[in-house]
Amino acid sequence: MTQTETETVPVTATPVGAQTYAEIVQFYSHHMQLLDNAEAEEWADGFTEDGVFAQNVKPAPTSGRSTIAASMRRGVDRLKNRNVVRRHWLSMVVADQVDAAQVHTRYYAVVFETPVGGKASVYLSTTGKDVLVREDGRWRIKYREINHDGA
């Protein structure tokens, strides 16, 4: 292997233990179901008070739990007005331990969209990266970066 090839090999991180991984997957499952049920404020409670939500399709990140909640509320209300149901399918979660109170995750997410009386279709495919922190005995998102495929 040449020096150039060595530099492109990712550094091996420390995966979280089984208990922590189960907690994170449970957190994500609950988090996405809140969003799919149009519970924007409860969904946003999954972020720290100063949390950040960045997407490659928006010019600037959304910062602060209340601002993230307001932005998501507008989004879920638009869907209700269109009579569309969305389901977020999050999978392939990789979780690396930074320290006892912080984990970095990477995952894939597919969003399905179904118009009332219609057929489900894939609306969006993304990759995500989160910085999760322990806060008040639970996981919360300190920083989220979502990259829409094809954008």
Side-chain angles (χ1 to χ4, degrees), residues 72-126:
M72 194 53 68
R73 170 54 55 203
R74 288 188 298 274
V76 297
D77 287 349
R78 275 193 306 271
L79 288 176
K80 280 184 182 177
N81 291 335
R82 289 182 43 221
N83 288 322
V84 170
V85 173
R86 283 198 184 151
R87 298 285 182 236
H88 292 74
W89 190 272
L90 196 142
S91 186
M92 306 301 288
V93 178
V94 174
D96 297 318
Q97 196 80 49
V98 175
D99 56 40
Q102 188 177 105
V103 170
H104 291 182
T105 64
R106 297 178 315 281
Y107 50 86
Y108 297 153
V110 176
V111 182
F112 297 93
E113 186 172 271
T114 308
V116 172
K119 185 177 178 182
S121 62
V122 174
Y123 170 73
L124 185 62
S125 173
T126 71

Coordinates of all heavy atoms in Angstrom, one line a residue, residues 72-126:
M72 N -39.7 23.2 11.8 CA -40.3 21.9 11.6 C -41.9 22.0 11.6 O -42.5 21.3 10.9 CB -39.8 20.9 12.5 CG -40.1 19.5 12.1 SD -39.6 19.1 10.4 CE -37.9 19.1 10.5
R73 N -42.4 22.8 12.5 CA -43.8 23.0 12.6 C -44.4 23.5 11.3 O -45.4 23.0 10.8 CB -44.2 23.9 13.8 CG -45.6 24.4 13.8 CD -46.7 23.3 13.9 NE -46.5 22.4 14.9 CZ -47.0 21.1 14.9 NH1 -47.7 20.7 13.9 NH2 -46.8 20.3 15.9
R74 N -43.7 24.5 10.7 CA -44.2 24.9 9.4 C -44.1 23.8 8.3 O -45.1 23.7 7.5 CB -43.3 26.1 8.9 CG -43.5 27.4 9.7 CD -42.8 28.6 9.1 NE -41.3 28.4 9.1 CZ -40.5 28.8 10.1 NH1 -41.1 29.3 11.2 NH2 -39.2 28.6 10.0
G75 N -43.1 23.0 8.4 CA -43.0 21.9 7.4 C -44.1 20.8 7.6 O -44.7 20.4 6.6
V76 N -44.3 20.4 8.8 CA -45.4 19.4 9.0 C -46.8 19.9 8.7 O -47.6 19.2 8.2 CB -45.3 18.7 10.4 CG1 -44.0 18.0 10.5 CG2 -45.5 19.7 11.5
D77 N -47.0 21.2 9.0 CA -48.3 21.8 8.6 C -48.5 21.9 7.1 O -49.6 21.7 6.6 CB -48.4 23.2 9.3 CG -48.6 23.1 10.8 OD1 -48.9 22.0 11.3 OD2 -48.5 24.2 11.4
R78 N -47.4 22.2 6.4 CA -47.5 22.2 4.9 C -48.0 20.8 4.4 O -48.8 20.7 3.5 CB -46.2 22.6 4.3 CG -46.0 24.1 4.1 CD -44.8 24.4 3.2 NE -43.6 23.8 3.6 CZ -42.7 24.2 4.4 NH1 -42.9 25.4 5.0 NH2 -41.6 23.6 4.7
L79 N -47.4 19.7 5.0 CA -47.7 18.4 4.6 C -49.2 18.1 4.9 O -49.9 17.5 4.1 CB -46.8 17.3 5.3 CG -45.4 17.3 4.8 CD1 -44.6 16.3 5.6 CD2 -45.3 16.9 3.3
K80 N -49.7 18.5 6.0 CA -51.1 18.3 6.4 C -52.0 18.9 5.4 O -53.0 18.4 5.0 CB -51.4 18.8 7.8 CG -51.0 17.9 8.9 CD -51.4 18.5 10.2 CE -51.0 17.6 11.4 NZ -51.3 18.2 12.7
N81 N -51.6 20.2 5.0 CA -52.4 20.9 4.0 C -52.4 20.2 2.6 O -53.3 20.4 1.8 CB -52.0 22.3 3.9 CG -52.3 23.1 5.1 OD1 -53.2 22.8 5.9 ND2 -51.5 24.2 5.4
R82 N -51.4 19.4 2.3 CA -51.3 18.7 1.1 C -51.9 17.3 1.2 O -51.9 16.6 0.2 CB -49.8 18.6 0.6 CG -49.2 19.9 0.2 CD -47.8 19.7 -0.3 NE -47.6 18.5 -1.1 CZ -46.5 17.7 -1.0 NH1 -45.6 18.0 -0.1 NH2 -46.4 16.7 -1.8
N83 N -52.4 16.9 2.3 CA -52.9 15.6 2.6 C -51.9 14.5 2.2 O -52.2 13.6 1.4 CB -54.2 15.4 1.8 CG -55.3 16.1 2.4 OD1 -55.4 16.2 3.7 ND2 -56.2 16.7 1.6
V84 N -50.6 14.7 2.7 CA -49.5 13.8 2.4 C -49.0 13.2 3.7 O -48.9 14.0 4.7 CB -48.4 14.5 1.7 CG1 -47.2 13.6 1.6 CG2 -48.9 14.9 0.3
V85 N -48.7 12.0 3.8 CA -48.1 11.3 4.9 C -46.6 11.0 4.6 O -46.4 10.5 3.5 CB -48.8 10.0 5.3 CG1 -48.1 9.3 6.4 CG2 -50.2 10.4 5.7
R86 N -45.7 11.3 5.5 CA -44.3 11.0 5.3 C -43.9 10.0 6.4 O -44.3 10.2 7.5 CB -43.4 12.2 5.3 CG -43.5 13.0 4.0 CD -42.3 13.9 3.8 NE -42.5 14.7 2.6 CZ -42.0 15.9 2.4 NH1 -41.3 16.5 3.3 NH2 -42.2 16.5 1.3
R87 N -43.0 9.1 6.0 CA -42.4 8.2 7.0 C -40.9 8.2 6.8 O -40.4 8.0 5.7 CB -42.9 6.7 6.8 CG -44.4 6.6 7.0 CD -44.8 6.6 8.4 NE -46.2 6.4 8.6 CZ -47.0 7.2 9.3 NH1 -46.5 8.3 9.8 NH2 -48.3 7.0 9.4
H88 N -40.2 8.4 7.9 CA -38.7 8.5 7.8 C -38.2 7.1 8.3 O -38.5 6.6 9.4 CB -38.2 9.6 8.8 CG -38.5 10.9 8.3 ND1 -39.8 11.5 8.4 CD2 -37.8 11.9 7.8 CE1 -39.8 12.7 7.9 NE2 -38.6 13.0 7.6
W89 N -37.4 6.5 7.4 CA -36.8 5.2 7.7 C -35.3 5.4 7.9 O -34.6 5.7 6.9 CB -37.1 4.2 6.5 CG -36.7 2.8 6.9 CD1 -35.5 2.3 6.7 CD2 -37.5 1.9 7.5 NE1 -35.5 1.0 7.2 CE2 -36.8 0.7 7.6 CE3 -38.9 1.8 7.8 CZ2 -37.3 -0.5 8.1 CZ3 -39.4 0.7 8.4 CH2 -38.6 -0.5 8.5
L90 N -34.8 5.3 9.1 CA -33.5 5.6 9.4 C -32.8 4.3 9.7 O -33.3 3.5 10.5 CB -33.4 6.5 10.7 CG -32.1 7.2 11.0 CD1 -32.4 8.6 11.5 CD2 -31.3 6.4 12.0
S91 N -31.6 4.1 9.1 CA -31.0 2.8 9.2 C -29.5 2.9 9.0 O -29.0 4.0 8.8 CB -31.5 1.8 8.2 OG -31.0 0.5 8.3
M92 N -28.8 1.8 9.2 CA -27.3 1.7 8.9 C -26.6 2.6 9.9 O -25.7 3.4 9.5 CB -26.9 2.0 7.5 CG -27.7 1.1 6.5 SD -27.4 -0.6 6.7 CE -25.7 -0.7 6.1
V93 N -27.0 2.7 11.1 CA -26.5 3.6 12.1 C -25.1 3.1 12.6 O -24.9 1.9 13.0 CB -27.4 3.7 13.4 CG1 -26.8 4.6 14.4 CG2 -28.8 4.2 12.9
V94 N -24.1 4.0 12.5 CA -22.8 3.7 13.0 C -22.6 4.7 14.2 O -22.9 5.9 14.0 CB -21.7 4.0 12.0 CG1 -20.3 3.9 12.6 CG2 -21.8 3.0 10.8
A95 N -22.2 4.3 15.3 CA -22.1 5.1 16.5 C -20.8 5.0 17.1 O -20.4 3.9 17.5 CB -23.2 4.8 17.5
D96 N -20.0 6.1 17.2 CA -18.7 6.0 17.7 C -18.6 6.9 19.0 O -19.1 8.0 19.0 CB -17.7 6.6 16.7 CG -17.6 5.8 15.4 OD1 -17.6 4.5 15.5 OD2 -17.6 6.4 14.3
Q97 N -18.0 6.3 20.0 CA -17.9 6.9 21.3 C -16.8 8.0 21.3 O -15.7 7.7 20.9 CB -17.5 5.8 22.4 CG -17.7 6.3 23.8 CD -19.1 6.2 24.2 OE1 -19.8 5.2 24.0 NE2 -19.6 7.2 24.8
V98 N -17.1 9.2 21.7 CA -16.1 10.2 21.8 C -15.6 10.3 23.3 O -14.4 10.2 23.6 CB -16.7 11.6 21.4 CG1 -15.7 12.7 21.7 CG2 -17.1 11.6 19.9
D99 N -16.6 10.3 24.2 CA -16.3 10.2 25.6 C -17.6 9.7 26.3 O -18.6 9.4 25.6 CB -15.8 11.5 26.2 CG -16.7 12.7 26.0 OD1 -18.0 12.5 26.1 OD2 -16.2 13.8 25.8
A100 N -17.7 9.7 27.6 CA -18.8 9.1 28.3 C -20.1 9.8 28.0 O -21.2 9.3 28.1 CB -18.6 9.1 29.8
A101 N -20.0 11.1 27.6 CA -21.2 11.9 27.4 C -21.4 12.3 25.9 O -22.3 13.1 25.6 CB -21.1 13.2 28.2
Q102 N -20.6 11.8 25.0 CA -20.7 12.3 23.6 C -20.5 11.1 22.6 O -19.5 10.4 22.8 CB -19.8 13.4 23.3 CG -20.0 14.0 21.9 CD -19.1 15.2 21.7 OE1 -18.2 15.1 20.9 NE2 -19.4 16.3 22.3
V103 N -21.3 11.0 21.6 CA -21.3 10.0 20.6 C -21.4 10.7 19.2 O -22.3 11.6 19.1 CB -22.3 8.9 20.8 CG1 -22.4 8.0 19.6 CG2 -22.1 8.2 22.1
H104 N -20.7 10.3 18.2 CA -20.9 10.7 16.9 C -21.5 9.6 16.1 O -21.1 8.4 16.2 CB -19.5 11.1 16.2 CG -18.9 12.3 16.8 ND1 -17.7 12.8 16.3 CD2 -19.3 13.1 17.8 CE1 -17.4 13.9 17.0 NE2 -18.3 14.1 17.9
T105 N -22.6 9.9 15.4 CA -23.3 8.9 14.6 C -23.3 9.3 13.1 O -23.2 10.4 12.7 CB -24.7 8.7 15.0 OG1 -25.5 9.9 14.8 CG2 -24.8 8.3 16.5
R106 N -23.4 8.2 12.3 CA -23.6 8.4 10.8 C -24.7 7.4 10.5 O -24.8 6.3 11.0 CB -22.3 8.1 10.1 CG -21.2 9.0 10.4 CD -19.9 8.7 9.6 NE -19.5 7.3 9.6 CZ -18.9 6.6 10.6 NH1 -18.6 7.2 11.8 NH2 -18.5 5.3 10.5
Y107 N -25.6 7.8 9.5 CA -26.7 6.9 9.2 C -27.2 7.3 7.8 O -26.9 8.3 7.2 CB -27.8 7.0 10.2 CG -28.2 8.4 10.5 CD1 -29.1 9.1 9.8 CD2 -27.6 9.1 11.6 CE1 -29.5 10.4 10.1 CE2 -28.0 10.4 11.9 CZ -28.9 11.0 11.2 OH -29.2 12.3 11.5
Y108 N -28.1 6.4 7.3 CA -28.8 6.6 6.0 C -30.3 6.9 6.5 O -30.7 6.3 7.4 CB -28.8 5.4 5.1 CG -27.4 5.1 4.5 CD1 -27.2 3.8 4.2 CD2 -26.4 6.0 4.4 CE1 -26.0 3.4 3.7 CE2 -25.2 5.6 3.9 CZ -25.0 4.3 3.5 OH -23.7 4.0 3.0
A109 N -30.9 7.7 5.7 CA -32.4 7.9 6.0 C -33.1 8.0 4.6 O -32.6 8.7 3.7 CB -32.6 9.2 6.8
V110 N -34.2 7.3 4.5 CA -35.1 7.3 3.4 C -36.4 7.9 3.8 O -36.9 7.4 4.9 CB -35.2 5.9 2.7 CG1 -36.2 6.0 1.5 CG2 -33.9 5.4 2.3
V111 N -37.0 8.8 3.1 CA -38.3 9.3 3.4 C -39.3 8.9 2.3 O -39.1 9.1 1.1 CB -38.2 10.9 3.4 CG1 -39.6 11.4 3.8 CG2 -37.1 11.3 4.4
F112 N -40.3 8.2 2.8 CA -41.4 7.8 1.9 C -42.5 8.8 2.0 O -42.8 9.3 3.1 CB -41.9 6.4 2.4 CG -40.9 5.3 2.3 CD1 -40.1 5.0 3.3 CD2 -40.7 4.6 1.1 CE1 -39.1 4.0 3.2 CE2 -39.7 3.6 0.9 CZ -38.9 3.3 2.0
E113 N -43.2 9.0 0.9 CA -44.3 9.9 0.9 C -45.5 9.2 0.3 O -45.4 8.6 -0.8 CB -43.9 11.2 0.1 CG -45.0 12.3 0.1 CD -44.5 13.5 -0.5 OE1 -43.9 14.4 0.2 OE2 -44.7 13.7 -1.7
T114 N -46.7 9.4 1.0 CA -47.9 8.7 0.5 C -49.0 9.8 0.5 O -49.4 10.3 1.6 CB -48.3 7.6 1.4 OG1 -47.2 6.7 1.5 CG2 -49.5 6.8 0.8
P115 N -49.5 10.1 -0.7 CA -50.7 11.0 -0.7 C -51.9 10.2 -0.2 O -52.0 9.0 -0.4 CB -50.9 11.4 -2.2 CG -50.0 10.4 -2.9 CD -49.1 9.8 -2.0
V116 N -52.8 10.9 0.5 CA -54.1 10.2 0.9 C -54.7 9.6 -0.3 O -55.0 10.2 -1.3 CB -55.0 11.2 1.7 CG1 -56.3 10.5 2.0 CG2 -54.3 11.7 2.9
G117 N -55.0 8.3 -0.1 CA -55.7 7.5 -1.2 C -54.7 7.1 -2.3 O -55.1 6.5 -3.3
G118 N -53.4 7.4 -2.2 CA -52.4 7.2 -3.2 C -51.5 6.1 -2.8 O -51.7 5.3 -1.9
K119 N -50.4 6.0 -3.6 CA -49.4 4.9 -3.5 C -48.1 5.5 -2.9 O -47.7 6.6 -3.3 CB -49.1 4.3 -4.9 CG -48.2 3.2 -4.9 CD -48.1 2.6 -6.3 CE -47.1 1.4 -6.3 NZ -46.9 0.9 -7.6
A120 N -47.5 4.8 -2.0 CA -46.3 5.3 -1.4 C -45.1 5.3 -2.4 O -45.1 4.5 -3.3 CB -45.9 4.3 -0.2
S121 N -44.3 6.3 -2.3 CA -43.1 6.4 -3.1 C -41.9 7.0 -2.3 O -42.1 7.6 -1.3 CB -43.4 7.2 -4.4 OG -43.7 8.6 -4.0
V122 N -40.7 6.7 -2.8 CA -39.6 7.3 -2.1 C -39.5 8.8 -2.5 O -39.5 9.2 -3.7 CB -38.2 6.6 -2.6 CG1 -37.0 7.3 -2.0 CG2 -38.2 5.2 -2.1
Y123 N -39.5 9.6 -1.5 CA -39.5 11.1 -1.6 C -38.0 11.5 -1.6 O -37.7 12.4 -2.4 CB -40.3 11.7 -0.5 CG -40.1 13.2 -0.5 CD1 -40.7 14.0 -1.4 CD2 -39.4 13.8 0.5 CE1 -40.5 15.4 -1.4 CE2 -39.2 15.2 0.6 CZ -39.8 16.0 -0.4 OH -39.6 17.3 -0.3
L124 N -37.2 10.9 -0.7 CA -35.9 11.5 -0.5 C -35.0 10.4 0.1 O -35.4 9.6 0.8 CB -36.0 12.6 0.5 CG -34.8 13.5 0.8 CD1 -34.3 14.2 -0.4 CD2 -35.2 14.5 1.9
S125 N -33.7 10.5 -0.3 CA -32.7 9.6 0.3 C -31.6 10.6 0.8 O -31.2 11.5 0.1 CB -32.1 8.7 -0.8 OG -31.0 8.0 -0.4
T126 N -31.1 10.3 2.0 CA -30.1 11.2 2.6 C -29.1 10.4 3.4 O -29.3 9.2 3.7 CB -30.8 12.2 3.6 OG1 -31.2 11.5 4.8 CG2 -31.9 12.9 3.0

